């Protein structure tokens, strides 16, 4: 048995060495692996991220006259203008499939780096594979704070965590309290996944710390078909504020049920995911009005940073919609990857990882204007804002110095819209 274990270890080491050796060779084209839900229940979200990543690839590989990193050059300058190419993996919204796709991209496609993967649960399983093969994994948008608390050496995240979003949410609610708004009772609604459970934990931590009363704690099954019983629990609890962690389908299902059951509340604050997806507004129309949520992109930002308007138009030609928080994080992730290849002057995974660890990229694409990772691989420069749907647009309402529109408070009754 010992001989067999030893043989397996030798074979694995040979594979890793062979990968590093082959990937270290510079090429005209640098292929990176990217895993998103391109089919299945949340394919619309994955496809928007695909459009964002392809827009960034276009900016990097070609020359444009605007001030976005790598826009004024063609390809990766320090690798003789090598162009980036994405090899796609489809997670089908399943952590197990995401894991299999990560293995395929590394061992068969021999990519030197992985990017992904929208859902926290898929990023978790896929990044464990990358860690095993010593391949860097750049996570664009998954928010579970636990992802950067696993002690991984090859994992880097661009987006804010649900811990940071929870602090922003309760800073906002504290401010509402000071202004005399009724904010005492909170309901927590969340899918029973890596994303939802960890978001709930961070929200509860802040609520307990600041003296808010949790009057309803309501998990539900991801991709539910009926949430009436959950909504009735929330209605009975009479919360002032609902804090929600749901992806698109469930977010719309709850919004419809809130209306049908005439649930009254002051505000609904949502983490990234369903609220972010423009399909929420397009499908729900006036019933999406006045929902609030975490925001790392709004067309309001274009007023203060006109260059965002140029890349937004490029993205919109592909996707048909404006950037949102999730997709601008995907776009920015490709800039970070290009910067790492450029400074590493190599595609060797170990050299790329070393470059990622020392990233200090200035970019106007995110609030905070930059990306820099701490020792856990978390971007420490990104800042969360809060937006609200008003007249079909995501308007920035908080913090005050960044607000582009007056907040609507309380949430307008369903029959008075």
């Amino acid at each position: 048995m010992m001989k067999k274990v030893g043989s397996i270890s030798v074979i694995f080491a040979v594979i890793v060495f062979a990968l590093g050796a082959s990937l270290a060779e510079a090429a005209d084209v640098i292929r990176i692996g990217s895993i998103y839900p391109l089919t299945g229940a949340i394919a619309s979200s994955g496809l928007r991220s695909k459009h964002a990543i392809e827009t960034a690839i276009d900016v990097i590989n070609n020359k444009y006259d605007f001030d976005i990193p790598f826009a004024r050059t063609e390809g990766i300058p320090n690798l003789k203008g090598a162009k980036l190419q994405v090899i796609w993996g489809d997670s089908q919204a399943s952590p197990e499939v995401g894991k299999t796709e990560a293995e395929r991209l590394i061992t068969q496609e021999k990519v030197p780096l992985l990017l992904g993967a929208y859902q926290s649960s898929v990023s978790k399983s896929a990044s464990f594979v990358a860690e095993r093969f010593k391949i860097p994994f750049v996570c664009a948008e998954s928010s579970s704070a636990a992802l950067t608390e696993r002690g991984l050496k090859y994992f880097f995240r661009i987006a804010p965590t649900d811990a940071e979003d929870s602090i922003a949410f309760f800073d906002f609610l504290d401010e509402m309290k000071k202004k005399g708004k009724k904010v005492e009772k909170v309901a927590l609604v969340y899918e029973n996944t890596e994303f939802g459970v960890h978001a709930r934990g961070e929200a509860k931590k802040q609520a307990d710390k600041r003296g808010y009363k949790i009057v309803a704690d309501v998990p539900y099954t991801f991709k539910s078909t009926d949430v009436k019983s959950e909504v009735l629990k929330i209605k009975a609890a009479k919360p002032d504020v609902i804090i929600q962690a749901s992806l698109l389908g469930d977010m719309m299902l709850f919004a419809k049920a809130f209306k049908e059951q005439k649930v009254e509340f002051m505000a609904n604050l949502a983490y990234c995911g369903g609220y972010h997806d423009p399909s929420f507004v397009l499908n729900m129309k006036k019933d999406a009005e006045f929902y609030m949520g975490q925001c790392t992109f709004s067309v309001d930002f274009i007023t203060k940073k006109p260059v965002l308007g140029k890349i937004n138009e490029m993205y919109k030609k592909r996707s048909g919609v404006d950037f949102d928080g999730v997709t601008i994080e995907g776009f920015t992730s490709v800039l970070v990857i290009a910067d790492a290849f450029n400074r590493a002057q190599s595609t060797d995974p170990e050299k790329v990882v070393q470059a990622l660890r020392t990233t200090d990229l200035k970019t106007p694409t995110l609030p905070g204007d930059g990306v820099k990772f701490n020792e856990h691989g978390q971007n420490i420069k990104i800042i969360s804002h809060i937006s609200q749907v008003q007249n079909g647009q995501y308007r920035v309402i908080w913090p005050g110095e960044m607000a582009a529109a007056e907040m609507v408070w309380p949430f307008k009754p369903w029959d008075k819209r």
Side-chain angles (χ1 to χ4, degrees):
M1 178 62 78
M2 289 298 292
K3 283 185 176 179
K4 185 175 182 182
V5 172
S7 297
I8 292 173
S9 299
V10 169
I11 292 170
F12 182 77
V14 169
I15 291 173
V16 171
F17 176 79
L19 277 171
S22 63
L23 298 172
E25 296 174 2
D28 294 336
V29 174
I30 302 171
R31 304 191 326 152
I32 61 174
S34 187
I35 303 170
Y36 279 87
L38 303 178
T39 59
I42 55 172
S44 67
S45 300
L47 291 171
R48 284 185 298 108
S49 291
K50 183 173 185 284
H51 290 312
I53 290 165
E54 289 174 342
T55 302
I57 294 287
D58 183 0
V59 170
I60 292 163
N61 285 350
N62 301 292
K63 188 176 285 187
Y64 289 94
D65 185 23
F66 51 68
D67 291 325
I68 294 288
F70 299 97
R72 296 186 186 281
T73 54
E74 293 185 59
I76 307 301
N78 289 341
L79 288 175
K80 299 179 181 178
K83 304 293 178 69
L84 293 184
Q85 178 186 2
V86 177
I87 308 300
W88 292 99
D90 179 8
S91 72
Q92 303 173 33
S94 162
E96 283 304 311
V97 176
K99 176 184 173 185
T100 302
E101 285 291 79
E103 290 171 342
R104 177 182 68 81
L105 289 167
I106 293 171
T107 61
Q108 297 181 29
E109 299 293 346
K110 302 188 186 309
V111 298
L113 179 147
L114 290 179
L115 166 65
Y118 189 67
Q119 298 156 275
S120 293
S121 56
V122 178
S123 290
K124 182 179 181 180
S125 63
S127 60
F128 273 134
V129 173
E131 188 81 6
R132 179 156 53 93
F133 282 96
K134 299 185 177 181
I135 294 290
F137 188 103
V138 175
C139 175
E141 64 288 283
S142 303
S143 64
S144 170
L147 290 173
T148 42
E149 296 170 359
R150 298 174 293 168
L152 300 190
K153 297 178 179 178
Y154 295 81
F155 185 83
F156 303 87
R157 171 168 44 195
I158 308 300
T161 70
D162 44 29
E164 293 163 332
D165 289 343
S166 296
I167 291 171
F169 285 173
F170 280 89
D171 283 349
F172 167 71
L173 295 178
D174 285 350
E175 198 171 303
M176 294 302 102
K177 264 187 178 180
K178 289 178 182 176
K179 291 181 177 179
K181 309 292 186 187
K182 185 184 178 185
V183 188
E184 296 175 355
K185 298 180 294 182
V186 175
L188 304 178
V189 188
Y190 51 96
E191 59 179 52
N192 58 354
T193 64
E194 179 82 13
F195 160 51
V197 170
H198 282 278
R200 174 263 180 196
E202 296 298 337
K204 186 175 187 307
K205 187 187 301 180
Q206 291 300 319
D208 292 346
K209 180 180 177 181
R210 306 183 194 216
Y212 291 83
K213 185 177 181 181
I214 305 294
V215 295
D217 190 329
V218 184
Y220 67 89
T221 302
F222 173 50
K223 295 190 285 187
S224 287
T225 57
D226 185 353
V227 293
K228 185 177 178 181
S229 63
E230 287 86 353
V231 167
L232 288 176
K233 285 181 189 174
I234 296 166
K235 183 177 182 179
K238 298 181 178 178
D240 299 320
V241 175
I242 296 172
I243 295 181
Q244 188 159 355
S246 300
L247 297 187
L248 178 63
D250 295 336
M251 190 79 191
M252 292 196 297
L253 197 63
F254 270 97
K256 290 174 184 174
F258 286 146
K259 180 183 179 182
E260 288 169 0
Q261 298 302 323
K262 298 178 181 175
V263 182
E264 296 182 357
F265 45 84
M266 300 291 145
N268 181 302
L269 280 165
Y271 293 92
C272 65
Y275 168 78
H276 265 295
D277 195 320
S279 297
F280 178 63
V281 172
L282 293 172
N283 291 328
M284 299 303 297
K285 297 184 170 56
K286 66 178 182 180
D287 291 338
E289 291 288 302
F290 316 122
Y291 275 81
M292 301 178 185
Q294 182 262 9
C295 169
T296 49
F297 184 86
S298 163
V299 291
D300 289 332
F301 291 169
I302 295 173
T303 305
K304 298 185 178 183
K305 301 176 184 176
V307 69
L308 295 181
K310 296 183 183 299
I311 58 171
N312 189 54
E313 284 305 311
M314 294 174 67
Y315 169 71
K316 200 169 184 177
K317 284 181 181 176
R318 294 172 183 268
S319 67
V321 295
D322 294 314
F323 270 123
D324 57 85
V326 166
T327 49
I328 198 67
E329 288 158 4
F331 179 97
T332 304
S333 294
V334 184
L335 302 182
V336 170
I337 290 167
D339 176 63
F341 282 131
N342 194 48
R343 286 186 294 106
Q345 300 183 40
S346 170
T347 57
D348 178 76
E350 284 298 334
K351 292 180 180 176
V352 175
V353 164
Q354 291 302 325
L356 283 166
R357 286 174 184 152
T358 55
T359 294
D360 192 0
L361 179 67
K362 291 184 178 179
T363 172
T365 50
L366 292 178
D369 291 339
V371 177
K372 185 175 184 177
F373 299 111
N374 64 14
E375 67 274 22
H376 305 294
Q378 175 60 38
N379 179 15
I380 57 174
K381 288 200 169 181
I382 195 166
I383 301 169
S384 282
H385 295 347
I386 293 176
S387 63
Q388 182 178 45
V389 179
Q390 297 181 8
N391 298 316
Q393 299 291 323
Y394 291 87
R395 305 304 309 275
V396 178
I397 58 161
W398 189 87
E401 63 271 22
M402 292 300 294
E406 290 290 328
M407 175 185 60
V408 176
W409 181 292
F411 199 86
K412 286 191 177 180
W414 300 105
D415 60 351
K416 295 181 180 177
R417 295 171 174 231

